[in-house]
Amino acid sequence: MKSISLLILGLSASLSAAAVPPPGADGKYTISAPGIRAQFIPFAAAITNLFVLDKNGIERDIILGHDSPSDYSADPGTHMGAIPGRYANRIGNAQFTLDGVTYHTPQNDGSNTLHSGPNGWGNRTFEVVAVSDNSITFGIHDPAFSTGMPGSIDANVTYTLTEKTWKIKIHALSPEARTPLMLTQHTYWNLDAFANPETDLIWNHTYYTPYSKRLLAPDPNMVPTGEITTIPQGDINDFWSAPKQLGTNLLTPGWVGNCGTGSGCEGYNNCWLVDKSPRIAKPVATLSSDWSGIKMEIYTGQAAVQLYSCYWMPGTTPIKSTQGGEGAAGNGLIKSGGCVALEAQDWNDGINHPEWGRNQFYGPGDDYNWEATYKFGLL
Ligand SMILES: *[C@@H]1O[C@H](CO)[C@@H](O)[C@H](O)[C@H]1NC(C)=O
Ligand SMILES: *[C@@H]1O[C@H](CO)[C@@H](O)[C@H](O)[C@H]1NC(C)=O
Ligand SMILES: *[C@@H]1O[C@H](CO)[C@@H](O)[C@H](O)[C@H]1NC(C)=O
């Protein structure tokens, strides 16, 4: 009997191995469509490389990442290309109350929780559920209380490429109990792929968010106070009145501390609300660079976009070999201001602000769906 069941186990293992091909020799899965090619790894369901053509027809890898998959598990806190979860961004005071019970989450950002703490999805290896020429699906089973939150979560992240387009779909279920659920995709962009001889920073990238006239007011440690700020035209945080270069306000009073007076963070790490009817089929955000001529449009039904201009990048991580590696334009290291993360998500820490009326607790019978589409073109 024992040998028969071993035989059956062996068969099913080889069947599932046949269904999901192994990654390439570089440890990454590669998918492609006309005008776009991307690579992924199971660690954090991360995108590692994204190639599109610049205005001269040169293929550029326009996202941050590492050459080797093992570099990701050595550096999970940066969340390069990752899916943070089950609750992205900060949980104020590392606690929340649900149905009369107060739950505690890990303190990994002062007294707060960031990206669900050390055991969040950004530090977990996903299963490869399916792969085709232009699509890959990763799955995760997140047990109850793995990050202090009740109930298990099952989620699939599907990345699909079509012509010059990257689409992301996340489906998640919480079959056992109500629990916080708020996801995002955490890619860092440098649309010049670190090849611009003038600068390896993103201050000359142009950003435009026509539907984002409101911002969650942050406390000194970037936890929302609950207040919602209307952004005046011409303000540091105004990207709604017209497209603006990210570095336009570098010397404006208030730039230092704009992303945290407690830390003196310079630039952006803020949560802009998206006040757009889902029926309007327009991008919620557009990022472009004159130098490469590459333009990216983000389409999503998510109610906010966090923009982080990489103040905390320590200048010690090498850029990828696909971007020139060490010794490239600049010095080949990712510097403060060398990238920008654009995280489509719900309102930060909504689980601690019932007055906002966000629906961020999911339980049995609820479907969580997250979608975003990135379209690439030229200026
Ligand atoms: C990632 O998880 C490992 C255990 O799997 C843990 O030892 C490590 O501290 C975690 N890293 C971070 C940055 O949270
Ligand atoms: C994930 O995909 C697998 C394979 O298609 C499916 O069996 C499973 O139900 C999916 N789970 C979720 C949460 O969508
Ligand atoms: C690049 O950004 C800097 C800082 O905002 C600005 O002074 C400069 O004029 C910009 N250069 C171009 C070519 O747009």
Side-chain angles (χ1 to χ4, degrees), residues 22-375:
D26 57 1
K28 299 176 179 181
Y29 287 88
T30 304
I31 62 175
S32 61
I36 189 164
R37 186 161 62 90
Q39 296 189 290
F40 301 87
I41 52 169
F43 188 82
I47 183 167
T48 62
N49 305 74
L50 179 62
F51 302 92
V52 296
L53 298 182
D54 74 6
K55 66 182 180 190
N56 298 312
I58 298 172
E59 193 180 55
R60 302 280 181 197
D61 183 356
I62 57 174
I63 65 170
L64 259 62
H66 300 292
D67 281 333
S68 163
S70 62
D71 295 334
Y72 286 82
S73 41
D75 175 31
T78 312
H79 285 84
M80 274 191 201
I83 301 290
R86 68 177 74 175
Y87 195 88
N89 210 275
R90 288 172 180 79
I91 298 176
N93 292 316
Q95 64 176 55
F96 64 93
T97 299
L98 170 59
D99 299 332
V101 180
T102 297
Y103 296 91
H104 297 274
T105 50
Q107 297 186 343
N108 65 332
D109 185 65
S111 57
N112 306 308
T113 302
L114 181 59
H115 296 324
S116 301
N119 199 29
W121 296 5
N123 193 13
R124 303 261 276 278
T125 299
F126 285 56
E127 183 193 344
V128 183
V129 174
V131 192
S132 74
D133 289 348
N134 74 330
S135 181
I136 186 163
T137 299
F138 294 103
I140 188 170
H141 175 76
D142 184 18
F145 296 105
S146 66
T147 58
M149 299 181 237
S152 66
I153 299 269
D154 288 294
N156 286 345
V157 179
T158 298
Y159 298 121
T160 305
L161 300 183
T162 54
E163 186 169 1
K164 293 181 193 162
T165 301
W166 177 29
K167 180 158 191 163
I168 306 155
K169 269 186 161 187
I170 309 175
H171 178 234
L173 299 171
S174 178
E176 296 164 1
R178 296 221 304 145
T179 191
L181 193 50
M182 184 180 86
L183 302 174
T184 189
Q185 214 293 334
H186 202 287
T187 293
Y188 294 97
W189 305 92
N190 183 313
L191 298 183
D192 293 342
F194 299 99
N196 180 348
E198 301 288 318
T199 179
D200 54 358
L201 309 181
I202 44 72
W203 302 127
N204 291 113
H205 284 36
T206 299
Y207 189 59
Y208 183 43
T209 51
Y211 305 102
S212 293
K213 292 189 189 177
R214 300 193 301 158
L215 194 66
L216 294 182
D219 80 358
N221 300 311
M222 297 317 287
V223 174
T225 61
E227 221 178 295
I228 295 169
T229 308
T230 298
I231 306 165
Q233 184 169 353
D235 188 78
I236 291 181
N237 296 313
D238 168 21
F239 292 97
W240 62 261
S241 66
K244 185 172 86 176
Q245 287 197 2
L246 288 169
T248 301
N249 296 108
L250 272 171
L251 301 176
T252 305
W255 177 259
V256 179
N258 189 54
C259 45
T261 54
S263 60
C265 174
E266 298 175 24
Y268 301 106
N269 191 12
N270 308 66
C271 187
W272 278 259
L273 307 184
V274 176
D275 293 310
K276 177 178 84 63
S277 156
R279 287 191 303 277
I280 301 174
K282 293 213 172 145
V284 300
T286 305
L287 183 72
S288 62
S289 168
D290 290 343
W291 184 79
S292 64
I294 295 170
K295 175 174 149 189
M296 169 174 80
E297 294 178 334
I298 303 179
Y299 297 78
T300 182
Q302 291 296 305
V305 176
Q306 177 92 9
L307 182 163
Y308 167 49
S309 58
C310 289
Y311 177 69
W312 302 107
M313 285 295 171
T316 52
T317 307
I319 62 173
K320 288 175 283 187
S321 56
T322 49
Q323 296 166 331
E326 281 187 71
N331 61 0
L333 301 170
I334 302 161
K335 299 180 188 131
S336 182
C339 50
V340 57
L342 299 170
E343 302 148 61
Q345 52 175 67
D346 209 84
W347 299 18
N348 287 347
D349 204 24
I351 52 175
N352 281 313
H353 292 282
E355 74 276 16
W356 292 342
R358 307 306 303 171
N359 172 30
Q360 298 186 345
F361 293 112
Y362 287 75
D366 298 333
D367 271 286
Y368 176 95
N369 288 294
W370 186 103
E371 278 192 36
T373 300
Y374 299 73
K375 291 192 182 178

